[in-house]
Amino acid sequence: MAHITLPEGAPGIIGPMIAYPEIQKHLSGLAEVLLRGPSSLTSGERETIAAYVSRGNECRFCCESHAAAARAHLGENRSLVDQVLADAAGSPSSPKMKALLAIADKVRRDGRLVHAADVERARAEGADDQAIHDTVLIAAAFCMFNRYVDGLGTWAPEDPAAYVESGVRLAEQGYVNYDFDKG
């Protein structure tokens, strides 16, 4: 049961987004530009970073939602998302992605943990300034989104299959055009 009155049956961030449309507009805009806007990283990579940070923060709704969107973006390579979530360092993701995920994890814990050596490693693996910037901002923003969802005590479906349809819609329609009433 959420700590505040939210629309019944609306899980995770969907309830607060419906209840507070003035906030929804800005948070959806932020998610849109971070996860779908211009970047040297693909939307699939950015959604994977969002899911990874959310997994580290133990935010089920955000992790499962963004993992589902990442799978939809990655198509035939969708299993990579689950491998990253299970063990990023041991996953078959690219060395660049592994370096970026390591940065994202440090930002998730405390941004001051990111050091020049972490950035140098990412650069050596092919990350440009935009990829590093986007990784840091996605990790920081998803800490905020995760705390928003969990701090309000929202609920989340436990079955990952419950997120598949909304993940496809996020991948196809994005965040600004997403119909929150459909979930």
Side-chain angles (χ1 to χ4, degrees):
M1 178 108 165
H3 301 310
I4 63 173
T5 303
L6 295 172
E8 195 166 318
I13 203 167
I14 294 170
M17 293 288 212
I18 293 169
Y20 298 92
E22 67 281 4
I23 298 299
Q24 179 270 322
K25 175 183 173 186
H26 297 288
L27 293 182
S28 292
L30 178 60
E32 181 74 18
V33 73
L34 286 177
L35 302 174
R36 295 171 51 89
S39 179
S40 59
L41 298 174
T42 68
S43 289
E45 289 170 326
R46 290 178 280 166
E47 290 281 6
T48 300
I49 293 167
Y52 178 73
V53 168
S54 298
R55 170 66 56 91
N57 285 333
E58 300 178 18
C59 182
R60 176 186 302 278
F61 182 82
C62 293
C63 178
E64 294 297 341
S65 296
H66 295 282
R71 288 183 200 104
H73 281 295
L74 294 175
E76 292 179 12
N77 294 325
R78 69 185 31 177
S79 66
L80 183 59
V81 177
D82 298 306
Q83 293 169 312
V84 165
L85 294 177
D87 177 16
S91 75
S93 57
S94 71
K96 176 178 91 172
M97 189 65 170
K98 288 179 183 180
L100 293 172
L101 290 166
I103 289 172
D105 190 56
K106 286 186 175 190
V107 170
R108 179 190 67 77
R109 291 182 283 133
D110 181 341
R112 296 169 293 187
L113 295 174
V114 178
H115 295 101
D118 301 309
V119 174
E120 289 170 18
R121 175 180 165 223
R123 284 188 199 288
E125 298 298 352
D128 60 11
D129 282 351
Q130 177 138 27
I132 294 163
H133 168 273
D134 292 354
T135 297
V136 169
L137 188 52
I138 291 165
F142 273 84
C143 287
M144 176 192 66
F145 287 128
N146 299 159
R147 285 161 180 79
Y148 182 47
V149 167
D150 290 339
L152 289 175
T154 65
W155 70 278
E158 295 206 19
D159 183 0
Y163 299 89
V164 173
E165 184 181 326
S166 63
V168 169
R169 275 201 325 269
L170 287 172
E172 291 176 354
Q173 298 172 13
Y175 294 85
V176 175
N177 297 316
Y178 188 81
D179 184 354
F180 284 91
D181 291 319
K182 285 187 177 179

